[in-house]
Amino acid sequence: MPISLKKGQQISLTKEAPGLSSVRMGLGWDAIKKKGFFGFGGGSVDVDLDANALMFDAQGQLVDAVWFRQLQSKDGAIQHSGDNRTGAGDGDDESITVNLSRLPANVTTLIFSVNNYSGQDFGQIENAYCRLVNTQGEAEIARYDLSAGGQHSAMILASLKRQGGDWTMTAIGATSKGRTYQDNLADMKAYL
């Protein structure tokens, strides 16, 4: 059974999923529903959220980034599913798969973040969430609800930190602004 994480909560991935070697961070959301005149002719507005996975070393230096313009890490350990520009469909709209056992030894922290490339703030986006899934068996390990809203266009979602042979996940849920992860690097430093 997945754990519903709250901001600041931390879990040991080794304890929650013994033998875990690969995880997927799924990001889902829905397009914005427009209200029509007297309830007729509403329609929807596409929302282009972008999932990011950023790799940092022990000194807090960015080692590599996986995002819609680079769908695979240089070492091949992280893969992005591709850019969904609408939010249409059920389930995860974008996902990033991380092979933890293949990550270079100098990578001590992964930060997952999301940016709204189309520019709306999160207060307008419906049913937004991120979740961490064990790719072996597809069991959901943790889920984080992003529907709190607000007048921000980016969120720093969660971190995975290497501690010896264990990985610890922390739900961050910090707000930020900007259309790409580069706009949020200064805000991420507090979570390294």
Side-chain angles (χ1 to χ4, degrees):
M1 178 156 167
I3 296 170
S4 182
L5 291 180
K6 296 188 178 10
K7 194 173 181 175
Q9 189 175 353
Q10 192 175 82
I11 61 168
S12 164
L13 296 182
T14 303
K15 290 178 185 170
E16 295 301 322
L20 182 74
S21 63
S22 180
V23 295
R24 183 176 64 250
M25 190 277 286
L27 173 66
W29 70 95
D30 290 333
I32 299 169
K33 292 178 181 68
K34 293 192 318 185
K35 297 188 182 356
F37 189 64
F38 291 117
F40 298 102
S44 64
V45 176
D46 291 344
V47 176
D48 183 8
L49 294 186
D50 293 317
N52 313 298
L54 309 168
M55 305 162 65
F56 293 92
D57 64 19
Q59 290 74 42
Q61 297 300 309
L62 183 64
V63 174
D64 201 357
V66 174
W67 60 311
F68 74 91
R69 290 189 182 152
Q70 181 181 317
L71 298 179
Q72 177 177 308
S73 60
K74 294 173 186 140
D75 57 34
I78 302 177
Q79 302 279 330
H80 194 296
S81 64
D83 191 13
N84 179 323
R85 296 182 179 144
T86 66
D90 294 330
D92 298 341
D93 294 304
E94 291 189 13
S95 63
I96 297 176
T97 303
V98 179
N99 186 329
L100 296 170
S101 59
R102 287 187 54 201
L103 285 173
N106 69 319
V107 173
T108 58
T109 303
L110 290 174
I111 290 190
F112 294 113
S113 67
V114 61
N115 293 84
N116 187 341
Y117 195 77
S118 51
Q120 302 95 341
D121 64 54
F122 273 77
Q124 300 172 290
I125 302 169
E126 296 183 32
N127 303 318
Y129 67 87
C130 75
R131 66 190 191 119
L132 195 67
V133 176
N134 182 345
T135 60
Q136 300 162 319
E138 296 300 308
E140 191 171 282
I141 300 167
R143 177 176 284 261
Y144 188 59
D145 181 11
L146 305 176
S147 64
Q151 304 223 336
H152 53 277
S153 57
M155 287 191 77
I156 303 165
L157 302 174
S159 69
L160 292 180
K161 290 191 178 195
R162 189 191 315 246
Q163 297 176 336
D166 188 12
W167 286 90
T168 301
M169 178 184 177
T170 303
I172 298 170
T175 62
S176 191
K177 296 217 181 259
R179 294 177 64 196
T180 67
Y181 80 85
Q182 292 100 328
D183 299 324
N184 314 124
L185 288 173
D187 292 339
M188 290 179 191
K189 294 294 182 184
Y191 306 102
L192 296 178

